[in-house]
Amino acid sequence: MTGAAATLTPPMPVAHWSEPETIVVDGVTLALRRGGVGEPVVFLNGHWASRRWLPVHQALAERHAVIAPEAPGFGASELPSWIKGRDDVVLLLRDLLDALDLGRVHLVGYGLGGWTASELAVWFHDRVRSLTLLAPFGLRVPGHPLANIFLMNPAGFAEAYGLLDADPALVAGLVPGVATPADGGMEEWAHRYGEMGAAARLMWQWRYDLALDHRLPQLAGRGLASLVVGGSDDRILPSAHIARWAELLGATTATVDGGHAFPFTAPHRTADVVASFIESLVEVPRG
């Protein structure tokens, strides 16, 4: 069932916040936002920037029907105790597609959401029309480690993610600082702490899955069209990861100016890259 969510406390600052719909899937209340018309594009969030209909969502929705669910433990989505890993999230997302009566979708994932999107495509490839990964986590590339987001100093988030030179209207409040009033104070910081706990359930012990080295090429063999997009100055995810994802998937690649936060600092360019890829596709064989 779907409907308006209960009254929620918006993030502070409130830029881009919108009240979500909610839907109960497998007994779990999930929040989602959507807009636009056309072929369905499901956009999976990373480990931050929840509770918002962001400019990148809106720009993409001008060309396609965008559904942006919040992963369990993020935003207004519940985090039940039985969710212990990404496999549980993948199954929940599969059931969400059923609950929304979506057939094959164009799947877009950012960061941690890219990792989840790739696994959803691996296990339920018949539900995925195309796969677009934006600065995805999930691979081990020797000599080029992913930054450990759990050890980062909160005071350095803005610099690390490439937000310092961004348009403040685009990025206000996306990454809480050190609990100052301007950043929403302790309430906002506590919410962010909870979301990092949700992310830790999915990638605390291992920030990669070696099985993907074997599984991702199978998607290429099934004819799945895929695109991997990186930021030109990403300090979280080395560019070698973009190349490795593309190699394993047989994917095309693209680069957007900016750091790890490029979908938010360059939303229109990012949306254009994604939408143009989707619109370039011809019907591919179903596996």
Side-chain angles (χ1 to χ4, degrees):
M1 59 182 178
T2 61
T7 300
L8 302 172
T9 301
M12 294 294 293
V14 295
H16 314 306
W17 183 82
S18 66
E19 192 159 342
E21 300 175 37
T22 59
I23 182 168
V24 178
V25 180
D26 298 340
V28 181
T29 298
L30 297 176
L32 63 91
R33 294 168 176 82
R34 52 182 164 180
V37 296
E39 293 194 30
V41 176
V42 175
F43 195 114
L44 302 183
N45 64 279
H47 69 281
W48 62 304
S50 67
R51 298 174 293 165
R52 295 165 171 87
W53 180 253
L54 291 160
V56 67
H57 297 139
Q58 181 58 37
L60 192 54
E62 292 173 2
R63 295 164 68 171
H64 298 282
V66 177
I67 302 98
E70 293 183 320
F74 290 84
S77 290
E78 293 180 336
L79 181 62
S81 60
W82 55 262
I83 289 185
K84 303 296 186 182
R86 292 180 314 282
D87 52 350
D88 296 315
V89 175
V90 166
L91 290 171
L92 189 62
L93 289 172
R94 184 274 315 270
D95 293 344
L96 174 63
L97 297 183
D98 290 341
L100 294 175
D101 197 26
L102 297 174
R104 299 178 75 204
V105 302
H106 297 282
L107 195 57
V108 180
Y110 168 64
L112 176 57
W115 189 352
T116 305
S118 73
E119 293 185 321
L120 181 60
V122 164
W123 292 108
F124 302 105
H125 61 273
D126 58 326
R127 305 300 302 274
V128 181
R129 172 76 173 81
S130 72
L131 179 65
T132 298
L133 305 178
L134 309 176
F137 295 172
L139 293 182
R140 178 178 180 269
V141 181
H144 303 277
L146 171 73
N148 191 330
I149 60 173
F150 300 108
L151 296 181
M152 292 176 61
N153 185 336
F157 280 173
E159 179 179 5
Y161 284 86
L163 300 176
L164 292 182
D165 297 325
D167 181 352
L170 293 175
V171 301
L174 286 186
V175 178
V178 288
T180 64
D183 292 319
M186 287 304 300
E187 287 187 3
E188 183 68 11
W189 181 248
H191 182 93
R192 175 65 179 148
Y193 186 84
E195 291 190 333
M196 288 298 283
R201 286 201 196 186
L202 307 181
M203 56 179 292
W204 175 265
Q205 183 174 7
W206 300 107
R207 289 176 288 133
Y208 53 83
D209 184 353
L210 293 177
L212 289 176
D213 286 26
H214 171 69
R215 293 169 177 169
L216 293 178
Q218 297 176 14
L219 292 176
R222 293 180 181 276
L224 180 67
S226 55
L227 170 70
V228 187
V229 187
S232 62
D233 186 28
D234 193 331
R235 302 182 187 182
I236 303 298
L237 185 82
S239 60
H241 285 244
I242 302 299
R244 181 59 174 159
W245 277 100
E247 177 186 3
L248 292 171
L249 285 167
T252 55
T253 63
T255 302
V256 174
D257 287 344
H260 190 67
F262 69 85
F264 314 125
T265 60
H268 296 286
R269 174 57 181 158
T270 301
D272 183 62
V273 167
V274 175
S276 295
F277 166 68
I278 291 171
E279 292 157 10
S280 73
L281 300 177
V282 296
E283 184 63 20
V284 295
R286 300 182 73 171

